[in-house]
Amino acid sequence: MGKKKCVAMLLAGGKGSRLNSLTKDLAKPAVPFGGKYRIIDFPLSNCTNSGIDTVGVLTQYQPLLLNSYIGIGSAWDLDRKDGGVTVLPPYAETSEVKWYTGTASAIYQNLNYLKQYQPEYVLILSGDHIYKMNYESMLEYHIEKRADVTISLIEVPWAEASRFGIMNTNEELRITEFEEKPAEPKNNLASMGIYIFSWNILKEYLEMDARNTKSSHDFGKDIIPTLLDENKKLYAYPFKGYWKDVGTVKSLWEANMDLLNDECDLDLFDHDWRIYSVNPNQPPQYISPEAIVKESLINEGCTIEGEIDNSVLFQGVTVGKGSIIKESVIMPDAVIGENVKIEKAIVPSDVIIPDGTVIRSFDDEIILVTEEMLSGLYPAF
Amino acid sequence: MKRKLLGVIDATTYHEDLEDLLTHRSLAALPFAGRYRIIDFVLSNMVNSGIRSVAIFPKMTYRSLMDHLGSGKNWDLNRKRDGLFFFPTPVVDSDINKIGTFENFAANLDFFYRSSQEYSIITNCYTVFNMDFKPLLDWHIHSGCDITEIHHEDGTPMEMYLVKTSLLIKLIETRNETGYTCMRDAVLDLEHQYSVCSYVYSGYAVMIDSIQNYFSTSLNLLNSDVWKQLFIKEQPILTKVKDEPPTRYLKGSVVQNAMIANGCLINGTVENSIISRGVKIGKGAVIKNSIIMQKCVIEDNCYLDSVILDKDVKVEASTILTGTARDPFVVRKGTKQGALMNS
């Protein structure tokens, strides 16, 4: 196997429990986003667009759909003779089955995967975020700074800073302190969960961490603080642009609505940085003579006979006559009957909404429609 | 079915009536229904019917067709055994309007010898339809006929034939003695000893052979009865994948009775029209009864009625272009239309 300068490791085992029923049967990286994509399309497309052709995808929670979605990686042009995409689930050894207990343990257990490529650098990514980023520029920065580790940071609103891992740096952007979810943050530069490690540092510290029985085997909680304690060269890479953690129903909804905003930095129409995905091969969308479509994003295979206002519709959605969909996200192959009203809601894949249903929240909360709700057990409507 | 039926698509046809749309491409590669090329219909039908080996015989301007088909991956035809075969023909001066031109097949006779499929279906490349060939093969085998020709319900021959591969080889080899240049000649000859049967197909099918027919067939797609017969979930029409984002409707968009492909930015009015992938429609622009092909840009305040814009056409702001239902205004690929040129 050929030597690779940089290999990416994509952590895709997340459960995303705050997405409630959306992640009941699928891992968070497989959650649909933006009318056509799944969250994992963003880091995978970023890899391809950044010239990184070797990506290990670490799966654990509900991997069935994710595995079949990734396939051999051809959707992202990652079906390569040498390298390409490799799905890396937890595995059994002679003594025991080793589940991934933390982000660091997941990488540690796949050191053999990395060793076969003899990489100089390892890029660690998370499959939970929506953003476009050139990892090659970050790698150049890492090399230029002669860093041991480079961590990508983004400015977050001060009010939200205590929800993130906050990095304090000196003037040269060398990281001096890391605080995980600090009550009183000293700045608002949050870790995006994107790391570039020089290979020997990664190997050394993962092996050390694995021997430490007190460690929770997590990059943020264990590896990074240890490296700081030992005065290793950790640099911050400031990222400017759109970045969103879609960990909750509300943030997932918001990120979808962002796509309808002209001011939004996330441009899906940029041909120089395409976001690739597995294409469903459906006919063009059909907008009937009775339909009204206002400021929306609609994918192929939809049949629209009602009114769509400020909404995102995935492939294969049907909206019947007299129905009004407002500020909502309708996931693949959902069937909306006639005279239905839906406002500020997320309708998951394949859900059938009967004629005349009204789904609307009274307290600005975003409603995640579930089968239980539709069977009449839910008091919201 | 897997090893039983060989698909043979004759893509050598050229229709002079479609000239304006065929200067850069062969008929097989004519864009249709917003995201397809005409050949996608017959090719997908073959694949959906379980055919695993398809030979395509194109002629002349076949660059766009080759680009479209690639390795056959989008039709699942990039196989180690069988798959998609492409035979550009060396013959350039024979009658180009004949279907199943044996001369073209003869140049690649080895392929037919090597094929393990007992039967062959020979089709044209320009029919818009969604047909399952499995019942046809069963019917042919049970009927015991030598040649089965598909007829549409209304009696029109559909220029599609089912024969034993061995008979096809024989017809090709004896073409000089018999004088047959194509399957049609063999079927029409009353003197031969073969039994010829007719299989009637009652689904939707249109052969695209003129601009007028292309235009009306395209706009007919907006009729949901037609739509439902062509786009069937279990028998999808497959095409080359483009990775366009979903289409975005902006503040100024008013869209009614339209078929719209992915990757469009719509800021104007669209009525009774087909809009292909990656089209941009400016503010205040009005598009009625028209077919807009891939990546066209229609700037602000244009008015287009009964127009066909070929790929990559740019219509500058405030331009008015109109045609009629019988005689649509056709704009050639990659050209620019300005307000001053046509006002």
Side-chain angles (χ1 to χ4, degrees):
Chain A
M1 232 163 277
K3 207 167 140 48
K4 296 277 177 187
K5 189 176 180 190
C6 182
V7 172
M9 295 295 266
L10 176 50
L11 298 158
K15 188 173 174 200
S17 30
R18 287 173 301 156
L19 286 166
N20 304 331
S21 59
L22 276 177
T23 49
K24 193 168 87 60
D25 303 318
L26 80 175
K28 183 176 166 189
V31 167
F33 173 79
K36 154 162 200 182
Y37 311 95
R38 294 185 186 271
I39 297 171
I40 198 168
D41 288 332
F42 287 81
L44 285 177
S45 301
N46 286 340
C47 283
T48 295
N49 289 328
S50 303
I52 292 171
D53 63 11
T54 308
V55 185
V57 181
L58 299 115
T59 60
Q60 177 156 288
Y61 174 77
Q62 287 287 7
L64 177 65
L65 194 142
L66 196 56
N67 287 350
S68 68
Y69 186 73
I70 294 168
I72 57 166
S74 42
W76 307 271
D77 210 16
L78 288 171
D79 50 334
R80 302 295 174 94
K81 274 211 191 308
D82 187 10
V85 79
T86 308
V87 176
L88 302 167
Y91 53 89
E93 285 184 359
T94 38
S95 54
E96 57 177 331
V97 178
K98 288 184 168 171
W99 294 105
Y100 299 153
T101 51
T103 49
S105 93
I107 307 289
Y108 171 74
Q109 287 176 46
N110 289 291
L111 278 179
N112 283 336
Y113 166 78
L114 286 168
K115 278 176 192 162
Q116 59 183 345
Y117 295 109
Q118 304 168 294
E120 289 171 58
Y121 308 98
V122 177
L123 169 67
I124 292 167
L125 302 168
S126 122
D128 295 353
H129 306 129
I130 304 291
Y131 65 106
K132 289 160 88 171
M133 179 174 174
N134 190 338
Y135 303 136
E136 203 177 12
S137 311
M138 181 173 168
L139 181 60
E140 280 164 16
Y141 177 91
H142 176 86
I143 294 167
E144 188 192 301
K145 290 278 184 189
R146 297 169 193 272
D148 293 317
V149 184
T150 300
I151 304 176
S152 182
L153 301 184
I154 187 156
E155 254 182 67
V156 294
W158 275 100
E160 289 177 33
S162 55
R163 282 180 40 218
F164 293 92
I166 297 295
M167 303 278 172
N168 298 317
T169 69
N170 69 13
E171 278 163 19
E172 276 85 50
L173 291 171
R174 184 158 171 180
I175 297 167
T176 53
E177 193 184 5
F178 171 73
E179 294 178 286
E180 182 73 41
K181 298 180 182 160
E184 284 168 39
K186 292 185 194 122
N187 73 48
N188 62 339
L189 290 175
S191 166
M192 296 163 67
I194 300 168
Y195 311 100
I196 291 178
F197 277 82
S198 293
W199 164 243
N200 29 17
I201 291 283
L202 179 72
K203 191 165 147 289
E204 183 188 338
Y205 281 78
L206 282 180
E207 282 169 350
M208 199 157 74
D209 177 75
R211 288 191 297 268
N212 180 357
T213 47
K214 286 184 190 131
S215 170
S216 58
H217 310 301
D218 186 88
F219 277 102
K221 290 191 196 102
D222 308 294
I223 304 282
I224 303 298
T226 311
L227 286 162
L228 282 171
D229 284 348
E230 300 197 5
N231 213 17
K232 293 291 169 195
K233 282 155 76 182
L234 277 68
Y235 278 88
Y237 178 73
F239 172 77
K240 289 217 170 10
Y242 187 92
W243 179 81
K244 188 132 186 156
D245 180 352
V246 286
T248 63
V249 171
K250 183 152 189 271
S251 63
L252 179 65
W253 177 85
E254 280 171 356
N256 276 286
M257 290 300 122
D258 284 343
L259 296 172
L260 305 176
N261 182 348
D262 288 333
E263 249 91 278
C264 175
D265 289 330
L266 186 70
D267 181 8
L268 297 177
F269 285 77
D270 178 6
H271 280 185
D272 294 332
W273 203 273
R274 273 185 209 263
I275 303 303
Y276 300 101
S277 66
V278 176
N279 279 270
N281 226 324
Q282 297 219 25
Q285 53 200 266
Y286 172 67
I287 313 291
S288 86
E290 304 86 16
I292 301 172
V293 182
K294 288 190 260 186
E295 296 182 67
S296 293
L297 198 61
I298 301 183
N299 198 15
E300 57 196 21
C302 288
T303 306
I304 313 295
E305 294 180 283
E307 179 176 340
I308 314 295
D309 184 358
N310 272 286
S311 295
V312 175
L313 271 60
F314 285 74
Q315 65 269 14
V317 168
T318 312
V319 179
K321 285 179 188 145
S323 290
I324 302 175
I325 314 289
K326 210 172 168 181
E327 295 175 64
S328 294
V329 178
I330 317 290
M331 290 185 174
D333 301 308
V335 178
I336 317 285
E338 296 183 3
N339 303 309
V340 171
K341 284 193 175 61
I342 300 177
E343 200 176 322
K344 291 210 168 132
I346 295 179
V347 177
S349 310
D350 302 309
V351 167
I352 297 168
I353 311 272
D355 293 355
T357 309
V358 177
I359 298 171
R360 181 192 292 151
S361 85
F362 294 100
D363 51 4
D364 242 29
E365 275 292 299
I366 303 307
I367 298 176
L368 174 62
V369 177
T370 61
E371 301 282 352
E372 293 80 50
M373 262 186 213
L374 294 166
S375 56
L377 299 171
Y378 195 79
F381 47 88
Chain B
M1 194 79 176
K2 204 162 111 197
R3 307 246 172 262
K4 234 175 181 181
L5 191 56
L6 177 71
V8 179
I9 302 177
D10 182 347
T12 60
T13 326
Y14 180 84
H15 291 308
E16 267 175 39
D17 281 352
L18 277 159
E19 194 190 348
D20 282 346
L21 298 174
L22 300 183
T23 48
H24 293 87
R25 60 174 76 93
S26 64
L27 177 57
L30 184 64
F32 189 78
R35 69 192 296 265
Y36 305 97
R37 305 284 182 145
I38 283 204
I39 197 172
D40 290 342
F41 290 89
V42 71
L43 187 56
S44 302
N45 290 343
M46 286 182 173
V47 171
N48 291 337
S49 304
I51 295 177
R52 292 292 171 263
S53 184
V54 179
I56 298 179
F57 290 83
K59 188 177 205 174
M60 299 182 295
T61 48
Y62 55 78
R63 182 188 55 78
S64 66
L65 182 61
M66 277 198 83
D67 175 59
H68 179 70
L69 297 170
S71 63
K73 191 173 177 173
N74 288 303
W75 296 267
D76 207 21
L77 287 173
N78 56 332
R79 300 291 105 202
K80 287 210 171 184
R81 292 187 65 182
D82 295 333
L84 186 71
F85 299 89
F86 208 70
F87 299 113
T89 154
V91 186
V92 282
D93 52 357
S94 66
D95 186 349
I96 54 176
N97 287 314
K98 290 280 164 59
I99 294 297
T101 316
F102 288 161
E103 208 56 42
N104 301 334
F105 295 174
N108 299 287
L109 204 54
D110 280 355
F111 169 76
F112 293 99
Y113 274 123
R114 261 202 315 269
S115 295
S116 57
Q117 288 79 5
E118 194 182 350
Y119 297 91
S120 294
I121 181 166
I122 303 118
T123 72
N124 67 65
C125 65
Y126 55 93
T127 303
V128 174
F129 67 139
N130 191 331
M131 177 178 173
D132 184 358
F133 295 133
K134 287 194 287 284
L136 166 70
L137 179 63
D138 292 341
W139 191 91
H140 176 81
I141 293 170
H142 288 133
S143 71
C145 298
D146 294 323
I147 304 174
T148 295
E149 184 181 21
I150 309 177
H151 276 86
H152 197 249
E153 211 176 14
D154 62 11
T156 329
M158 285 173 66
E159 297 173 359
M160 297 186 197
Y161 311 90
L162 212 156
V163 291
K164 271 204 164 148
T165 307
S166 55
L167 175 57
L168 177 63
I169 291 171
K170 192 177 167 198
L171 288 169
I172 299 167
E173 283 179 331
T174 57
R175 68 191 183 285
N176 292 329
E177 294 95 82
T178 58
Y180 302 156
T181 62
C182 61
M183 285 303 297
R184 182 125 195 89
D185 289 350
V187 168
L188 292 179
D189 183 6
L190 301 172
E191 314 264 297
H192 66 55
Q193 73 277 35
Y194 307 117
S195 55
V196 178
C197 303
S198 172
Y199 177 87
V200 177
Y201 176 63
S202 54
Y204 180 86
V206 178
M207 288 149 82
I208 304 295
D209 53 10
S210 69
I211 295 260
Q212 213 267 312
N213 162 330
Y214 173 76
F215 188 63
S216 60
T217 306
S218 295
L219 293 186
N220 249 336
L221 292 171
L222 298 170
N223 176 341
S224 66
D225 292 341
V226 172
W227 165 266
K228 281 174 192 157
Q229 290 191 64
L230 276 179
F231 301 110
I232 305 165
K233 213 168 194 175
E234 297 70 35
Q235 295 165 221
I237 304 302
L238 305 166
T239 190
K240 186 182 177 190
V241 151
K242 290 274 162 116
D243 286 292
E244 292 282 359
T247 277
R248 194 165 159 212
Y249 296 81
L250 300 149
K251 274 201 177 67
S253 78
V254 180
V255 178
Q256 274 166 344
N257 201 30
M259 203 162 135
I260 299 182
N262 268 2
C264 297
L265 285 167
I266 300 178
N267 211 353
T269 300
V270 179
E271 260 177 52
N272 306 321
S273 296
I274 313 277
I275 313 290
S276 308
R277 297 193 267 208
V279 169
K280 291 191 178 81
I281 299 172
K283 231 189 220 166
V286 176
I287 292 163
K288 281 183 178 176
N289 314 309
S290 294
I291 298 162
I292 312 296
M293 293 191 199
Q294 214 178 307
K295 286 188 185 159
C296 285
V297 177
I298 296 146
E299 294 183 346
D300 296 354
N301 303 314
C302 290
Y303 182 91
L304 275 59
D305 188 354
S306 305
V307 170
I308 300 175
L309 298 190
D310 204 333
K311 274 177 74 174
D312 296 316
V313 167
K314 186 178 178 187
V315 184
E316 291 179 332
S318 305
T319 305
I320 297 170
L321 302 173
T322 54
T324 63
R326 303 220 110 255
D327 189 19
F329 187 92
V330 182
V331 182
R332 288 200 182 201
K333 188 180 164 186
T335 56
K336 197 187 265 185
Q337 294 287 313
L340 294 173
M341 292 181 231
N342 292 284
S343 59

